[in-house]
Amino acid sequence: MTETLDIKITQTPTSRLAETDFNNLPFGKVFSDHMLTADYEDGEWKNFEILPYGPIELSPAISALHYGQAFFEGIKAYKHADGKVSIFRPDKNAIRFNKSADRLCMPQLPEDIFIQSIAALVDIDRDWIPGKANHALYIRPFMFATDPFLGVTPSANYKYIVLIGPVGPYFSKPLRVKIETHYTRAAEGGMGYAKAAGNYGSSMLPARKAAEEGFDQLIWTDAKEHKYIEEMGAANAMFLLDGKLITAETKDTILDGVTRDTVIALAKDWGITVEERKVSVAELIEGAKNGKLTDAFGAGTAATIASVASISYNDEEYFLSDPQTREFSKKVLATLDDIKYGRSEDAHGWNYMV
Ligand SMILES: *Cc1c(COP(=O)(O)O)cnc(C)c1O
């Protein structure tokens, strides 16, 4: 632990809180009154500042825009019934933030500075955290290269920014998903394990094509053979097959999700066998046909647990059991909510109190 982070604070003279419609919170469109910014210059982080949310001035030559030296994180903060506020497992995001930075030749941000900067911003805008069920404050820390230089080389200067905003449920219904067998999200040796901005830009065309065919999400498969399940959209894909929780093992093509890790910990608490391994498309389709695939969902901070209604593969759609009847994912979601909203004991120490 380093000493307390020195942050310059400029409060907004005109809060937008009163005019914000908390009954209509499309994901990622509503931001709180303030944001946090910091600069990496001369080999160190400086100028930590909380200021009114708004546009910033940048050179059009910054290499983040040209060569994608940029990445992000996604975290949520929750309001408990007694008014207390917690952030869910930010220590995990701090570690992953630096893994992404490392992959993109960007500077490390000490874990305690990452957490302290986020906690300070959440504290200032704590009235923006919705108190309603299934609502939370979404936290978006990100870093990007700011050298105004068109050479393809790592920037010397960077900006770290944190935005926060209230959010409601991400998906409103169980998802029809398509197993993608042409496009690839991440290849071995690539940067799939980093939350690199470029990974999401490249996923938009395949996602749009799937949406045009009527699907809500894609299930990505391995780049070489398209035979093994990797992830679901921007969430980890998890399945209950023959009573076991199965999910792709984390490697360089898989984002090591905090929600994935949390679901695995809960399953182990409950004595369920967990297998982190290669998951073949063939065994899932077989399980969907013979009824042994009893649960399927995406796990991620934004969507939490996103139930899969059907899986499509080679133009054949396989419907799974009614999500309302799925014991495992329902229990995971209820248990997670109880911990996050402070209704049950936080035995794993996942809540970071603000
Ligand atoms: C963010 C993300 C996840 C989920 O990670 P969490 O830490 O659970 O939010 C999974 N896969 C991809 C590709 C992601 O971008």
Side-chain angles (χ1 to χ4, degrees), residues 72 74 93 96 185 192 195 200 231 233-236 255-260 299-302:
F72 64 97
N93 299 89
R96 193 169 68 198
R185 189 191 88 89
K195 239 170 154 68
Y200 304 84
E231 301 203 49
N236 293 108
L255 201 287
D256 187 357
V258 178
T259 316
R260 173 189 180 279
T301 296

Side-chain angles (χ1 to χ4, degrees), residues 4-5 10 21 29 38 48 64 67 69 74 82 90 97 100 102 170 197 230 243 272 278 291 307 326 341 352 354:
T4 315
L5 182 62
T10 310
D21 180 5
K29 288 195 176 166
F48 283 84
Y67 309 123
Q69 245 198 322
D82 61 5
F97 193 83
S100 295
D102 185 59
Y170 195 80
E230 300 235 303
I272 292 170
K278 276 187 162 185
S307 294
R326 295 184 199 164
Y341 291 102
Y352 180 90
V354 177

Side-chain angles (χ1 to χ4, degrees), residues 5-330:
L5 182 62
D6 197 11
I7 304 175
K8 179 184 167 205
I9 295 173
T10 310
Q11 293 258 12
T12 179
T14 50
S15 172
R16 287 176 281 104
L17 186 57
E19 70 207 38
T20 300
D21 180 5
F22 276 73
N23 292 313
N24 179 27
L25 296 170
F27 179 84
K29 288 195 176 166
V30 180
F31 297 100
S32 73
D33 282 331
H34 299 93
M35 61 185 185
L36 178 137
T37 66
D39 301 307
Y40 187 82
E41 292 166 4
D42 306 321
E44 58 177 321
W45 285 106
K46 49 180 84 161
N47 310 333
F48 283 84
E49 192 176 351
I50 289 175
L51 69 169
Y53 167 82
I56 55 169
E57 193 165 298
L58 293 164
S59 157
I62 61 170
S63 64
L65 291 174
H66 298 268
Y67 309 123
Q69 245 198 322
F71 68 92
F72 64 97
E73 269 302 326
I75 312 174
K76 275 180 178 170
Y78 299 85
K79 182 167 277 172
H80 303 191
D82 61 5
K84 284 186 185 142
V85 168
S86 61
I87 304 175
F88 194 69
R89 307 190 75 183
D91 51 319
K92 295 283 286 180
N93 299 89
I95 294 167
R96 193 169 68 198
F97 193 83
N98 284 327
K99 275 191 196 160
S100 295
D102 185 59
R103 180 63 180 83
L104 292 163
C105 284
M106 295 165 71
Q108 300 286 295
L109 180 65
E111 287 163 29
D112 59 332
I113 292 184
F114 176 86
I115 294 171
Q116 277 188 59
S117 62
I118 288 167
L121 180 64
V122 169
D123 189 30
I124 284 198
D125 281 344
R126 60 197 296 136
D127 291 344
W128 282 84
I129 310 174
K132 277 200 291 186
N134 301 320
H135 286 59
L137 185 80
Y138 185 74
I139 303 167
R140 167 53 61 89
F142 59 109
M143 195 206 294
F144 59 95
T146 55
D147 278 9
F149 170 53
L150 295 181
V152 183
T153 173
S155 189
N157 298 285
Y158 296 86
K159 234 181 212 318
Y160 163 60
I161 300 183
V162 185
L163 304 177
I164 56 179
V167 292
Y170 195 80
F171 293 118
S172 51
K173 59 175 181 50
L175 308 171
R176 289 176 65 207
V177 304
K178 176 192 154 179
I179 294 180
E180 176 63 60
T181 53
H182 174 70
Y183 292 105
T184 295
R185 189 191 88 89
E188 276 164 38
M191 58 178 187
Y193 68 93
K195 239 170 154 68
N199 286 340
Y200 304 84
S202 70
S203 75
M204 289 178 189
L205 178 66
R208 185 166 74 187
K209 289 195 169 181
E212 283 165 3
E213 295 167 38
F215 299 108
D216 303 304
Q217 281 287 317
L218 286 180
I219 287 189
W220 299 106
T221 50
D222 70 283
K224 271 192 197 138
E225 301 179 277
H226 295 298
K227 276 187 184 164
Y228 298 95
I229 303 289
E230 300 235 303
E231 301 203 49
M232 186 179 126
N236 293 108
M238 307 188 87
F239 307 91
L240 210 68
L241 185 67
D242 219 356
K244 295 174 196 154
L245 178 66
I246 61 172
T247 189
E249 74 218 292
T250 52
K251 52 188 175 96
D252 58 2
T253 60
I254 306 281
L255 201 287
D256 187 357
V258 178
T259 316
R260 173 189 180 279
D261 182 78
T262 304
V263 172
I264 288 172
L266 290 177
K268 286 181 177 168
D269 285 353
W270 301 333
I272 292 170
T273 304
V274 178
E275 292 179 356
E276 298 178 63
R277 59 166 171 82
K278 276 187 162 185
V279 175
S280 72
V281 174
E283 66 180 311
L284 286 189
I285 298 305
E286 182 61 26
K289 283 182 181 162
N290 66 19
K292 288 188 173 169
L293 181 63
T294 53
D295 213 329
F297 55 90
T301 296
T304 317
I305 301 295
S307 294
V308 170
S310 71
I311 298 177
S312 291
Y313 180 58
N314 288 345
D315 297 325
E316 194 82 56
E317 184 165 14
Y318 303 89
F319 282 88
L320 308 181
S321 63
D322 175 3
Q324 288 306 318
T325 65
R326 295 184 199 164
E327 251 175 72
F328 181 77
S329 52
K330 279 177 69 182

